[in-house]
Amino acid sequence: MSDRSVNLKALAGHLDLTVSTVSRALNDYPDISRATRERVKHAADALGYRPNQNARRLSIGTPETVCYLIPRQHGASSQPFIAQLLSGLGEALNERNWDLLVCQADASAGDLETIDRLVTSGRIAGLVISRPLKNDPRITLAQDLGCPFVVHGRSDHCDNYAWYDVDGEDGFFTAVNHLVQMGHRRIGFIGGPLEYQFAQERLDGYLRGLSHNALAHDPELVQIAEFTDEGGSAAAGLLMEQPTPPTAVVCVTDMVALGTLEALHARGIKPGEQVSVIGYDGLHFGKHANPPLTTMAQPQAHAGRRLGDMLLSIIDGADPRSFHELQRAHLVQRNTDGPAPVKAGQNDVSVREDKQ
Amino acid sequence: MSDRSVNLKALAGHLDLTVSTVSRALNDYPDISRATRERVKHAADALGYRPNQNARRLSIGTPETVCYLIPRQHGASSQPFIAQLLSGLGEALNERNWDLLVCQADASAGDLETIDRLVTSGRIAGLVISRPLKNDPRITLAQDLGCPFVVHGRSDHCDNYAWYDVDGEDGFFTAVNHLVQMGHRRIGFIGGPLEYQFAQERLDGYLRGLSHNALAHDPELVQIAEFTDEGGSAAAGLLMEQPTPPTAVVCVTDMVALGTLEALHARGIKPGEQVSVIGYDGLHFGKHANPPLTTMAQPQAHAGRRLGDMLLSIIDGADPRSFHELQRAHLVQRNTDGPAPVKAGQNDVSVREDKQ
DNA sequence: CTGAAAGCGCTTACAG
DNA sequence: CTGAAAGCGCTTACAG
């Protein structure tokens, strides 16, 4: 245990040295004699001296602190990986004894003000922005302020800054190909609000999957939902009520996919048999869904650590444009994907029958 | 947008006043003429002046920062509510323009050192400790350091500090009563490592439920598992392999309950029909389990906000012992609880049959 | 190799 | 009502 009351001055007095010498000894200045350096460090340990960080940071001119912007919940548990992300970020920061601040701030006006305040009042030296919109004012703000930042995800134009992302476009392309290989020809898509760049990308991947397989894009087969199970359920309902419902549905997130399963159950349709469903995220929970959810799993283990390292490098002066890291999602096959029903295209899983 | 370069001195120069006057005007000192105060504030706004917080905090002698200790993952997603907690905490802190630091630190030696450093280097004025052990060295440390803190949960002796908790003892008592009312007489318990106080409490509630209903406590019916689905699954396996397996199982967390469901499925046992299962937490996801999981739901919405307010009050000088807030969990009945099978006690859902 | 001094950007008694 | 000065606890050129 240390004592908050022992400061440099007290330590110096104890050693019969000046604060100047003691400070340099502690910071390994080369012009301090080895004997003195060791004596100082020893005493510092013994007295439990810890430099006051506010004073130190004021003096060296950096807050040695970075802020992670928690996105506001746009639907339940919109940040399933937040604990892991924070711990990775913290790991990178800890190596330098930097601190991690968290602050809930999305792209809304009041929150931009909060970010502005944080950087202009000298509290943070860098920013981690997550879940960016296509055109995200937080990114513009950080740029205008000259505040180093990294983005978890990408916005519309992402050439000028550092980001770490998982390739959702590729993920949905992969999911669609997988379904086509299983014989599906009518594949629906339940997406999220397109102001989010990742929602757009996932839609793009779906569309590319269709055209790659020479399937027509039927706008009726594309539904936009909130990122919740309720959202997914409602959207899936609309899909299944169509004259020719899809035999497979790809969903923007696992949560949305769970809602889709629910909608299918409600209509007496068997997921994985009559209608295939593929989610995206790879939530551990999906394993326990009914039936276990097939999904495109994002590799999330290293996101925090990588973002933290990138940000630190940029603060050190590295070119942000040199950090563009794109990971791939991979298919985790559980039980909601299966071969297309034999009479695909004219299959009989329409809700109308159930309603009678 | 503001300018980091305009400091008090620049602002004072611009106004032809001294920094002393400007500072007092900005901070609403009563001895500043109204005209001056308004002129100063106006100019501060116009120039986008923001006091440097490191300097300010060094001067006033408090870091105006509080730290939330993220518990290390003791099993997957051990902190399902972390995002909500952080945002509640941030809300309370924001009102005073305080900051929220996060730091991953459990009760292990290296992490205690981290906490020590954080407080003795003057970086934080308060601590939020979560998932306490029965005898948690973090609590002892905070006390020794004289660092104000609040605990999310309780440890063995919790009279001397502030805490916010959900009554797990009562929750399990309630769950057992519910099962007894449905005719169950042989009720199993899958708990977590008893070094965690909440694991002990939930076990206590289970035991009280038994004795309250004049049911014998069969030690064979109590299994300890890791807080994961795999843990739950293994423990449930042991329970069901007994000569007279239970007709109902209460589980320390929803995750463990999901593992239990899996173990039952693997043995061809129908949850909610042949064997009832009740979880604890009230995770939204449980709704999508197979079948939807009955659980004791914790009210989590206000935990962060309440903990933040408590901590701030204590830092202001309030007596920590005046903050003991105990919430109750409530039964969310979904589909894994049901009446005891008719031939309870000698029912035939033994794993041995399946193995042949 | 060590000391004396200035400075980081604030706040706050103390004069006047 | 405003100014001059000291202080918060560090770091870091600059002397010697």
Side-chain angles (χ1 to χ4, degrees):
Chain A
M1 200 182 70
S2 312
D3 188 344
R4 246 175 302 180
S5 66
V6 20
N7 55 20
L8 246 203
K9 199 165 147 192
L11 179 57
H14 176 81
L15 286 161
D16 253 320
L17 288 170
T18 62
V19 293
S20 160
T21 302
V22 174
S23 171
R24 273 171 303 164
L26 254 15
N27 291 309
D28 289 318
Y29 274 50
D31 59 356
I32 298 291
S33 79
R34 188 174 153 183
T36 303
R37 192 187 333 123
E38 285 178 0
R39 194 164 72 93
V40 168
K41 289 197 173 182
H42 199 78
D45 266 9
L47 300 191
Y49 168 73
R50 294 277 166 71
N52 177 298
Q53 294 293 352
N54 266 321
R56 194 172 153 271
R57 289 166 179 180
L58 171 60
S59 184
I60 64 177
T62 155
E64 295 189 326
T65 300
V66 142
C67 178
Y68 173 72
L69 263 24
I70 310 176
R72 277 180 204 290
Q73 322 284 40
H74 199 279
S77 76
S78 74
Q79 282 299 83
F81 306 110
I82 187 170
Q84 217 176 353
L85 195 80
L86 289 176
S87 97
L89 238 24
E91 201 183 293
L93 261 19
N94 272 346
E95 290 185 359
R96 298 196 182 193
N97 207 10
W98 279 44
D99 292 329
L100 177 58
L101 219 61
V102 297
C103 168
Q104 183 150 305
D106 60 23
S108 68
D111 287 352
L112 289 174
E113 162 70 18
T114 303
I115 297 170
D116 185 6
R117 187 193 317 272
L118 234 31
V119 354
T120 59
S121 65
R123 282 189 275 187
I124 58 172
L127 218 43
V128 182
I129 296 170
S130 56
R131 295 216 139 200
L133 304 183
K134 268 183 192 168
N135 190 330
D136 201 300
R138 293 172 299 177
I139 293 176
T140 318
L141 179 61
Q143 286 173 152
D144 288 350
L145 291 169
C147 176
F149 68 100
V150 292
V151 180
H152 189 201
R154 283 170 289 170
S155 62
D156 212 356
H157 295 94
C158 56
D159 294 337
N160 306 321
Y161 58 80
W163 48 261
Y164 175 101
D165 201 6
V166 177
D167 195 343
E169 204 271 352
D170 176 74
F172 276 74
F173 180 70
T174 302
V176 168
N177 281 334
H178 174 66
L179 290 167
V180 170
Q181 273 162 29
M182 297 187 97
H184 294 274
R185 314 282 306 161
R186 248 184 110 59
I187 301 171
F189 174 84
I190 302 181
L194 295 179
E195 66 205 78
Y196 289 99
Q197 178 64 16
F198 71 85
Q200 179 67 57
E201 278 160 16
R202 294 175 195 182
L203 173 56
D204 291 347
Y206 161 77
L207 293 175
R208 184 159 67 90
L210 292 187
S211 73
H212 178 75
N213 291 287
L215 295 176
H217 160 41
D218 179 351
E220 301 284 314
L221 254 34
V222 172
Q223 298 290 338
I224 299 301
E226 294 296 300
F227 298 113
T228 59
D229 46 0
E230 289 87 354
S233 183
L238 294 175
L239 243 30
M240 301 317 295
E241 275 164 23
Q242 292 176 16
T244 315
T247 65
V249 183
V250 288
C251 301
V252 68
T253 64
D254 281 352
M255 242 327 162
V256 166
L258 292 176
T260 299
L261 296 185
E262 206 176 318
L264 295 180
H265 287 309
R267 288 167 175 75
I269 302 170
K270 290 205 173 139
E273 296 180 23
Q274 292 164 283
V275 172
S276 287
V277 176
I278 300 185
Y280 185 96
D281 269 343
L283 297 189
H284 183 72
F285 261 138
K287 199 179 150 190
H288 301 285
N290 179 19
L293 182 67
T294 295
T295 183
M296 297 299 303
Q298 303 196 54
Q300 284 284 350
H302 303 109
R305 177 69 209 222
R306 294 293 302 122
L307 285 164
D309 285 338
M310 283 182 187
L311 184 50
L312 254 12
S313 298
I314 294 167
I315 291 172
D316 285 344
D319 184 352
R321 290 170 297 185
S322 56
F323 301 103
H324 293 163
E325 189 164 334
L326 194 56
Q327 296 288 329
R328 297 185 64 166
H330 66 278
L331 181 67
V332 172
Q333 239 178 312
R334 291 195 283 237
N335 305 352
T336 57
D337 62 314
V342 271
K343 296 192 187 174
Q346 55 188 69
N347 75 56
D348 54 4
V349 268
S350 159
V351 71
R352 286 165 300 171
E353 301 180 7
D354 293 309
K355 280 196 174 159
Q356 286 161 8
Chain B
M1 200 182 69
S2 312
D3 188 344
R4 248 174 300 180
S5 66
V6 20
N7 55 20
L8 244 203
K9 199 165 146 193
L11 179 58
H14 176 81
L15 285 162
D16 252 318
L17 289 169
T18 63
V19 294
S20 158
T21 303
V22 174
S23 172
R24 274 170 302 164
L26 255 15
N27 290 310
D28 290 317
Y29 274 50
D31 59 356
I32 297 291
S33 79
R34 188 173 154 182
T36 304
R37 190 187 335 122
E38 285 178 0
R39 193 165 73 94
V40 169
K41 290 197 171 183
H42 200 79
D45 267 8
L47 299 192
Y49 168 74
R50 295 275 167 70
N52 178 298
Q53 294 293 351
N54 266 323
R56 193 172 154 272
R57 290 167 179 179
L58 171 60
S59 184
I60 64 179
T62 155
E64 296 188 327
T65 300
V66 142
C67 178
Y68 173 73
L69 263 25
I70 310 176
R72 278 180 204 287
Q73 320 284 41
H74 199 282
S77 78
S78 74
Q79 281 299 84
F81 306 110
I82 187 172
Q84 216 176 355
L85 196 80
L86 289 176
S87 99
L89 238 25
E91 200 182 293
L93 262 19
N94 270 346
E95 289 185 0
R96 298 193 181 194
N97 207 11
W98 279 45
D99 292 328
L100 177 58
L101 220 61
V102 297
C103 169
Q104 184 151 306
D106 60 24
S108 68
D111 287 352
L112 288 175
E113 162 68 19
T114 303
I115 297 171
D116 185 6
R117 185 194 316 274
L118 234 29
V119 353
T120 59
S121 65
R123 281 190 275 187
I124 57 172
L127 218 43
V128 182
I129 296 169
S130 54
R131 294 215 142 201
L133 304 182
K134 267 182 193 169
N135 191 331
D136 201 300
R138 294 172 298 176
I139 293 175
T140 318
L141 178 62
Q143 285 173 151
D144 288 350
L145 291 169
C147 176
F149 68 99
V150 292
V151 180
H152 189 200
R154 281 170 289 170
S155 62
D156 212 358
H157 294 96
C158 55
D159 294 336
N160 307 320
Y161 58 81
W163 49 261
Y164 175 101
D165 200 5
V166 177
D167 193 343
E169 203 272 352
D170 176 74
F172 276 73
F173 180 70
T174 302
V176 168
N177 281 334
H178 173 66
L179 290 167
V180 170
Q181 274 162 27
M182 296 185 98
H184 295 273
R185 313 280 307 159
R186 248 185 109 60
I187 302 171
F189 174 82
I190 302 181
L194 294 179
E195 66 203 79
Y196 288 100
Q197 177 64 16
F198 71 85
Q200 179 67 58
E201 278 160 15
R202 294 175 196 181
L203 172 56
D204 291 346
Y206 161 77
L207 294 175
R208 184 160 67 91
L210 293 187
S211 72
H212 178 76
N213 291 286
L215 295 175
H217 161 39
D218 179 352
E220 301 284 315
L221 255 34
V222 171
Q223 298 289 339
I224 299 301
E226 293 296 297
F227 298 112
T228 59
D229 45 0
E230 288 87 355
S233 184
L238 295 175
L239 242 30
M240 300 317 295
E241 276 163 23
Q242 292 175 17
T244 315
T247 65
V249 182
V250 289
C251 301
V252 68
T253 65
D254 280 352
M255 237 333 163
V256 166
L258 292 176
T260 299
L261 296 186
E262 206 176 317
L264 295 180
H265 287 309
R267 289 166 174 76
I269 302 171
K270 289 208 174 137
E273 295 179 23
Q274 292 164 283
V275 172
S276 288
V277 176
I278 300 186
Y280 186 95
D281 269 343
L283 298 189
H284 182 72
F285 187 87
K287 201 178 149 192
H288 301 285
N290 179 21
L293 181 68
T294 295
T295 183
M296 297 301 302
Q298 301 196 55
Q300 284 284 352
H302 303 109
R305 177 69 209 223
R306 295 292 302 122
L307 285 163
D309 285 338
M310 282 181 188
L311 184 50
L312 254 10
S313 297
I314 293 166
I315 291 171
D316 286 344
D319 184 353
R321 290 169 297 185
S322 57
F323 300 103
H324 293 164
E325 190 164 333
L326 194 57
Q327 296 288 329
R328 298 187 62 167
H330 66 278
L331 180 68
V332 172
Q333 239 178 315
R334 290 197 283 237
N335 306 352
T336 56
D337 63 313
V342 270
K343 295 190 188 175
Q346 55 186 71
N347 75 57
D348 53 3
V349 268
S350 160
V351 70
R352 285 165 301 171
E353 301 182 8
D354 292 308
K355 278 197 177 161
Q356 287 163 4

